[in-house]
Amino acid sequence: MATATVHPNIALVKYWGKRDRDLNLPSTGSLSMTLSHFATKTSVVFGVDHDEVIINGEEAMGRPAARVLKHLDLIQPGRAPAKVVSTNNFPTAAGLASSSSGFAALTLAALKALNIDHTPAQASILARQGSGSAARSIWGGFVEWRRGVKEDGTDSHGLHVAPPDHWDLNMVIAVVDKGQKSVGSTEGMLRTMATSPMYSAWVSSWQRDLDQARQGILDQDLTMVGRAMEASTLKMFATMFTSTPPIRYWRPASVAIQDEVAKLRQDGINCWWTMDAGPNVKVLCEPEDAPAVADALEHHVEDVHTLAVGGHPVVED
Ligand code: DP6
């Protein structure tokens, strides 16, 4: 039996679209910040009577359970029956990146329980096949996920850009809705790829955003990171809005918060927003500005969390 505790990550430069669906290879490179406080804790034990998956205290059935068990089959083909117990201390499947920490924790716990030697990059490649964003949660701090060019995906894994203590940044999260999203990320991406006329512009224009965000992180230049993050976010949503039928995760409160962030910037507070496959808004700022940002967000939603840069996964026997 082994247990892994892993933090989710939020993409500053976004992954949206797949160049290979079976291997889950992305059409774009992406870059993320690992979050503090929010975490998934997953225990795996092999050699029990029958497969069993418990998520947040309830037995998982259907697709969620099948996804977990298929991931164990990938890690060890012909494996023994396993029991998986996984708990999130934050809302699941609500655009708060639970699949990133979920599949990273499952991968690391299973590798440890099976005593399989691995590098972080190998763990990242496995985690990627469970859920793309999980490739980035194998590290704390700031992480890039290389698009890669190889057909077998061996060059498409996370890379550590900077450790957790490199830069004291905050992400203030406004929870507009903690319910599960109506269109899952995988389904949304496939629809976008098949129907959006903007998709080709998206896959030909991400590199600059990624280079700028990476440089901004290394230089601790929040304006540089923020500009690249908002540009990447808006382009990703442009592909979703122009899909058929359209995918629109935004709610009125999401837009009001985007306006609030623009207003805060006019007032001299350096803060920048991003969103993912859900209505929640995440605002990046320096810790000294976080109380003012959180205050402003609380005018729009009840639930606001101020998180710092998260640490590396912890794996125990
Ligand atoms: C908008 O990693 O959940 O959060 O690989 O299909 O499981 P699958 O998708 P997932 O998608 C994340 C999309 C995003 C942007 C990002 O995290 O980069």
Side-chain angles (χ1 to χ4, degrees):
M1 157 132 162
T3 301
T5 305
V6 177
H7 296 293
N9 69 78
I10 297 296
L12 310 180
V13 175
K14 304 294 179 180
Y15 148 54
W16 192 256
K18 300 172 194 278
R19 67 181 170 90
D20 182 307
R21 203 185 156 186
D22 292 338
L23 289 172
N24 209 27
L25 298 174
S27 306
T28 63
S30 57
L31 191 147
S32 61
M33 171 176 144
T34 302
L35 297 178
S36 67
H37 295 89
F38 283 5
T40 301
K41 188 172 183 175
T42 300
S43 298
V44 181
V45 55
F46 288 93
V48 294
D49 280 354
H50 59 276
D51 283 338
E52 194 182 357
V53 181
I54 314 271
I55 300 178
N56 294 327
E58 281 177 27
E59 179 153 13
M61 311 297 259
R63 201 177 126 67
R67 242 181 123 185
V68 168
L69 296 170
K70 192 172 152 226
H71 196 61
L72 296 181
D73 295 339
L74 171 80
I75 293 170
Q76 191 175 64
R79 67 179 170 82
K83 179 170 182 185
V84 176
V85 179
S86 186
T87 311
N88 289 328
N89 69 355
F90 64 100
T92 302
L96 290 172
S98 58
S99 73
S100 66
S101 47
F103 277 94
L106 180 65
T107 303
L108 292 171
L111 286 170
K112 180 81 177 175
L114 292 164
N115 270 318
I116 298 176
D117 272 343
H118 60 275
T119 62
Q122 286 165 336
S124 174
I125 285 175
L126 288 167
R128 181 200 80 214
Q129 293 171 77
S131 183
S133 51
R136 301 183 306 238
S137 265
I138 300 295
W139 295 265
F142 300 89
V143 182
E144 179 176 343
W145 171 20
R146 285 270 167 94
R147 175 193 187 276
V149 291
K150 292 190 183 168
E151 273 180 27
D152 66 2
T154 49
D155 58 350
S156 186
H157 53 74
L159 283 177
H160 202 206
V161 170
D165 61 358
H166 164 70
W167 189 10
D168 192 11
L169 265 189
N170 278 177
M171 195 167 270
V172 185
I173 300 189
V175 181
V176 172
D177 187 341
K178 45 171 164 271
Q180 300 218 348
K181 51 200 173 203
S182 50
V183 181
S185 311
T186 307
E187 184 191 339
M189 286 185 209
L190 297 178
R191 191 189 300 173
T192 302
M193 290 161 65
T195 63
S196 170
M198 305 297 162
Y199 185 68
S200 56
W202 164 246
V203 294
S204 61
S205 71
W206 58 274
Q207 184 76 58
R208 191 164 162 263
D209 299 330
L210 196 133
D211 291 343
Q212 292 193 346
R214 189 199 303 105
Q215 197 57 50
I217 286 164
L218 295 173
D219 296 348
Q220 302 186 359
D221 181 339
L222 179 56
T223 303
M224 195 169 179
V225 175
R227 284 207 176 112
M229 179 175 80
E230 287 193 4
S232 172
T233 304
L234 286 163
K235 279 190 282 182
M236 175 182 77
F237 282 107
T239 70
M240 296 187 203
F241 295 159
T242 50
S243 294
T244 310
I247 304 162
R248 194 171 53 89
Y249 294 113
W250 295 10
R251 302 276 167 75
S254 319
V255 179
I257 292 168
Q258 295 170 19
D259 287 347
E260 190 74 56
V261 169
K263 192 162 151 285
L264 285 165
R265 276 211 298 272
Q266 274 171 6
D267 295 345
I269 293 179
N270 199 11
C271 59
W272 303 84
W273 66 273
T274 189
M275 291 176 64
D276 293 287
N280 304 324
V281 188
K282 295 108 185 183
V283 182
L284 199 60
C285 64
E286 306 274 2
E288 65 191 27
D289 291 327
V293 171
D295 242 27
L297 267 43
E298 274 161 14
H299 288 120
H300 300 275
V301 294
E302 281 171 19
D303 207 0
V304 174
H305 304 263
T306 299
L307 304 174
V309 182
H312 296 303
V314 175
V315 186
E316 299 152 308
D317 272 325

